[in-house]
Amino acid sequence: MRPRRIAAMPIYLDNAATTPLRRDALDAMLPLLGDDFGNPSSVHGFGRRARGALDEARERLATGLNAQPREIIFTAGGTEAINLALKGAAWAGKARGGRLVTTAVEHHAVLYTLRHLEKFGFELVVVPVDRYGRVDPEQLDAAINDRTILVSLMLANNEVGTIQPLPEVIRRIRAHKGIVIHLDAVQAAPYMAIDTRELDVDMLSLAAHKFEGPKGIGALYVRHGTIMLPQVHGGSQERYRRAGTENVAGAVGMAVAYELTRTEQAVTAPRLAALRDRLRDAVLAVPNVELTGHPRKRLPGHLSVIVRDAEGEAVVQNLDLAGVAVSTGSACTTGSTEPSHVLTALGYPDEEARGSLRITLGRANTDHEIEQAGRIIPETILQTRTAALAIAADPLGEQVGA
Ligand code: PLP
């Protein structure tokens, strides 16, 4: 299939996967990748300069999260922060009990880490969600017993953008004593204010590349007094909680990117929501396309849909040819397209889940891009469907005569 309209410049609408590194973050990082290359553990001037930059990055990130600098552990990304949080808290709490509780729509970094812990005798309870991806606070509460040591939740979902009813859920968990609460805020951080005190969580994971920071750096907030066992052993870095020479440039880039994200959020979030709504109306005007996730309680940049009578992968590939980068909600594993566990948890049958599209806006997207995407995406969905129907009617291509 040949797409008819090609955007002059590719339009990037996959900001939930990653975002471009913003200029200010790169500029702040460059000296640390150049002359100021020292190891923060070294006592000489090179080391002291690197230590100063790392300390300042930690302070700035902590301020943005309403946390103390000592409560921030830099990691190699969101996945590592989550692994450290869950394994660290589970092993530290083992003597008190072995029940771990989470929801069915968590990122694989959470679900697979908890499944891994199950192999060591921990008991895992996965709480279902409703059709929009929201957990019922009462149902989550009912999953907690006196052996529960850890609950892991997400602030907002990476596939459908649904925001969880956190204050109510957390209030109920706090009524039980001694449970560590971990929050995966990786996807929410670009759009929502993250105040660790107000959220009242014990641990919180972030990844810099989701908010225009560099890849290869993330952070775990650990509330002072929370007991957690390190998972990477070696040097005394990060107060013995995560060994290994620090990624100083990454930490600086992350702190700058987060600070700017927080400052701009009040303007960026409503602007993106308005653009997203325009795009949503254009995409939902195509027959047999349905919004997934919550209609209102969702991240401002997130548009996720099910396209009936089309494979999500085919639509994504055709959109790529047409100059628009989006993704499906499906994870591609060695040649077979597995339906997304998130859409399955929302109750979509496999064949519908295979038609999923995730279109995610970011700060850099312009009005003009969204206007163009609002024409290209519906057109490409229709063309992909027509091509799929033609193949279904004539699988050997005999009538094409080519
Ligand atoms: N949690 C959520 C909600 C995510 O969206 C992601 C990444 O997509 C992660 C965790 C893992 O982050 P990373 O791939 O940066 O390690």
Side-chain angles (χ1 to χ4, degrees), residues 10-34:
I11 301 171
Y12 187 75
L13 295 177
D14 197 13
N15 287 274
T18 196
T19 54
L21 178 63
R22 67 187 298 161
R23 185 75 227 183
D24 321 70
L26 176 63
D27 287 345
M29 292 168 73
L30 284 175
L32 298 146
L33 297 167

Side-chain angles (χ1 to χ4, degrees), residues 341-395:
H341 72 282
V342 172
L343 294 175
T344 304
L346 267 60
Y348 290 94
D350 285 5
E351 66 280 9
E352 288 190 11
R354 285 205 178 85
S356 69
L357 274 191
R358 182 182 71 172
I359 304 162
T360 46
L361 284 62
R363 190 185 61 90
N365 287 127
T366 63
D367 290 25
H368 180 61
E369 283 181 327
I370 300 307
E371 199 185 305
Q372 278 187 301
R375 283 197 301 273
I376 297 170
I377 296 173
E379 207 172 273
T380 306
I381 291 173
L382 291 171
Q383 286 169 353
T384 310
R385 263 195 198 140
T386 310
L389 285 175
I391 290 168
D394 181 20

